[in-house]
Amino acid sequence: RVLGPIIEQAFGHLWGTAAQKQRPELASKCTWLIAYATQCADGLPDSVSTDKVQQLVGQMKEVREELPARPIQTHVYGILPKILEWINTPILARIVLLWVRDVTTYDNFTYYSTYFTSSEVPVLFLLLEEIAYRQPLLKPLVFAAYKDSFESRVPDFPPEKQIKLQKMVINRIAVLAQLDYVLPVLNYFDAKKELIDESVIVYFLCRLLAQFDAPYPTEFYTPVLGLLQHAIDGVKVAKEKGVMCVRDFLARVDDDQARALGAMLVDDATGSPISID
């Protein structure tokens, strides 16, 4: 936490503003301090290797120089091997994560206007997934990046395309949930449910429930029941695959609210189906 503001100062907006590039001496000092701090073992300065500090400083400079401010997709693919090597080191992975967030959120999410298609996951999102897998301590920051895009409103996207973007993000969030991060994910959706389209909530629940088996702990099923209660009308008109997924979950939860919701779904399949594929 102590390093957080320093990392933000040195790299957080490096690709977004000219101000950072106009103060190279500050960036240089911050970079050395970050390298030194990350090499401290158990808070003992005597254990720090000067060679390792200098090596890490060099790596951070390489990252700063080679990550493009506004990359075209082919450029990202070109430097992908280096990025995958960098993210093996926790501090470099954090810097790459900051870069991904800057690229995807720049100028009101124009990255998606240019590159998003419903049939392909953006390579930057696959990088976030890889960072979460290799660097578990960075999962909260990966989730924050996902939330940026989930909550985005891309100016030229019609509602149906915006929902497709949200569903793409949900697919990545579901993978993150499997990496022992399900409770923060559930609590986020439960807190935001009033602002999310019912069809998107149904998609999220079906995607999530397919990954976890009973018995469900209370802290898992309680927010799920809250989401189902809110989006029950959307569940009723979902495709049979989605309805069965929800019914199966409710049947395995010993809770009065679960039984009441299950009763509401019995033989109720009216309305137009909502695609959850």
Side-chain angles (χ1 to χ4, degrees):
R1 293 189 178 186
V2 175
L3 274 181
I6 301 174
I7 295 170
E8 289 282 350
Q9 177 69 34
F11 295 96
H13 303 287
L14 182 67
W15 299 275
T17 68
Q20 290 292 332
K21 297 179 182 180
Q22 292 170 358
R23 303 183 65 185
E25 76 288 348
L26 177 60
S28 179
K29 290 177 181 178
C30 289
T31 299
W32 186 91
L33 183 59
I34 293 166
Y36 182 83
T38 57
Q39 292 300 310
C40 286
D42 300 321
L44 300 175
D46 292 342
S47 65
V48 176
S49 165
T50 303
D51 290 341
K52 289 185 177 179
V53 170
Q54 292 303 323
Q55 180 184 16
L56 191 53
V57 167
Q59 289 174 322
M60 285 192 284
K61 287 182 178 178
E62 182 184 23
V63 171
R64 185 170 62 226
E65 292 168 359
E66 296 205 23
L67 286 180
R70 301 288 164 253
I72 59 173
Q73 199 82 317
T74 53
H75 195 165
V76 174
Y77 284 116
I79 62 172
L80 195 56
K82 282 190 175 182
I83 295 176
L84 292 174
E85 182 180 343
W86 291 333
I87 64 176
N88 285 322
T89 303
I91 187 60
L92 301 184
R94 184 163 182 175
I95 294 169
V96 170
L97 201 159
L98 288 171
W99 171 72
V100 171
R101 290 188 72 175
D102 183 82
V103 170
T104 54
T105 60
Y106 173 74
D107 195 20
N108 210 6
F109 300 89
T110 54
Y111 174 81
Y112 295 121
S113 299
T114 306
Y115 295 113
F116 175 71
T117 66
S118 58
S119 61
E120 185 176 339
V121 180
V123 65
L124 296 182
F125 265 65
L126 297 178
L127 275 176
L128 291 175
E129 189 173 307
E130 192 65 22
I131 289 172
Y133 178 77
R134 298 192 195 184
Q135 307 295 343
L137 292 178
L138 294 181
K139 285 185 285 189
L141 295 180
V142 170
F143 188 36
Y146 287 153
K147 289 187 289 186
D148 284 342
S149 294
F150 182 79
E151 296 175 7
S152 70
R153 291 296 179 266
V154 184
D156 58 347
F157 274 17
E160 60 272 17
K161 191 168 185 179
Q162 188 70 49
I163 287 178
K164 287 181 179 179
L165 173 62
Q166 287 187 311
K167 289 183 177 181
M168 182 278 294
V169 179
I170 284 173
N171 288 337
R172 299 351 299 163
I173 290 176
V175 174
L176 181 64
Q178 283 189 303
L179 299 177
D180 197 26
Y181 206 73
V182 65
L183 295 185
V185 167
L186 273 173
N187 291 335
Y188 166 77
F189 276 89
D190 189 40
K192 295 286 186 178
K193 59 180 178 287
E194 300 291 341
L195 304 175
I196 304 173
D197 187 277
E198 279 192 11
S199 68
V200 175
I201 292 177
V202 173
Y203 183 88
F204 165 71
L205 289 171
C206 293
R207 184 71 173 80
L208 190 75
L209 292 176
Q211 299 180 157
F212 295 95
D213 297 321
Y216 305 107
T218 303
E219 59 268 26
F220 178 90
Y221 74 70
T222 298
V224 171
L225 291 176
L227 286 165
L228 285 172
Q229 183 74 57
H230 175 75
I232 193 64
D233 290 337
V235 176
K236 289 177 181 179
V237 298
K239 288 185 177 180
E240 184 62 21
K241 179 181 176 182
V243 176
M244 291 303 297
C245 177
V246 172
R247 283 177 178 167
D248 183 64
F249 164 77
L250 293 173
R252 296 170 185 270
V253 175
D254 185 15
D255 181 272
D256 289 342
Q257 185 181 12
R259 285 185 280 273
L261 289 170
M264 295 174 69
L265 294 179
V266 174
D267 296 327
D268 192 342
T270 60
S272 301
I274 297 174
S275 174
I276 60 164
D277 295 331

